[in-house]
Amino acid sequence: MRLVLVGPPGAGKGTQAQFLAAHYSIPHISTGDIFRANLKASTPLGLQAKGYMDAGQLVPDEVTNEMVKDRLTHDDAINGFLLDGFPRNTVQAEVLRAFLIEKQTPLEAVLELAIENAIIIKRLSSRRTCKDCGAPASPEASKCVSCSGELYQREDDKEEVIAKRLAVYEEQTAPIVDFYRTEGLLITISADGDVADITERAITALSRVRG
């Protein structure tokens, strides 16, 4: 399975990516992991990215694209992959399409996790994190279940910050949904509900791709 996962922050992409990657026995490839690996290994691409980051600048698409293309040539991605966090815009989507066509391994599907903004804001703004160990906690918890540490709300879990993140997603990333809809690759499922139910929805929807 060659799959791209898209959806707004708070839709549960990271969680679903892990389950789907395990189900299809393919690597879960996130841009964050790719960046960290290149920076740690001080690869030429990693050093380029570090230069921009040290200058307080965004890493340009050209560098990100090359990192992703390099990762997709690794042996574990021969039989498929799940991309999470890439592409983030239609320019990156065009580059990915051209690269995969050249390799004669086009995408099989793009899975969109759809959920209302109001649900995302409620979900994320209720999260609490342990000050001591950094573990997440349920809204009902009064202290960390792992170390009994004090809980707090992270800055990026505040409602106004979440709303801004969603606005950025709509402006920059949501257009790729239309791109892949036009390509005939888009599959949309609801990301509201229990994690297991969402995973089942995803697998059922994706099974239709392969008949």
Side-chain angles (χ1 to χ4, degrees), residues 28-36 82-86:
H28 168 206
I29 301 174
S30 74
T31 47
D33 290 342
I34 293 174
F35 270 88
R36 283 187 287 272
L82 186 156
L83 279 172
D84 171 18
F86 184 94

Side-chain angles (χ1 to χ4, degrees), residues 52-104:
Y52 288 103
M53 294 163 69
D54 288 348
Q57 300 174 3
L58 292 174
V59 178
D61 281 349
E62 292 79 10
V63 177
T64 303
N65 292 341
E66 291 305 313
M67 283 187 181
V68 172
K69 288 194 289 185
D70 175 72
R71 178 65 183 85
L72 293 178
T73 63
H74 292 193
D75 289 345
D76 65 340
I78 290 176
N79 295 319
F81 52 80
L82 186 156
L83 279 172
D84 171 18
F86 184 94
R88 288 190 179 276
N89 55 54
T90 53
V91 173
Q92 291 182 348
E94 292 275 10
V95 169
L96 178 64
R97 177 177 63 178
F99 175 74
L100 294 178
I101 287 175
E102 180 185 344
K103 297 295 183 182
Q104 298 183 334

Side-chain angles (χ1 to χ4, degrees), residues 152-169:
Y152 77 108
Q153 184 182 40
R154 298 190 319 181
E155 191 66 30
D156 58 357
D157 283 340
K158 293 182 177 179
E159 287 192 23
E160 60 272 21
V161 177
I162 298 166
K164 289 180 181 178
R165 291 169 62 198
L166 291 171
V168 170
Y169 172 80

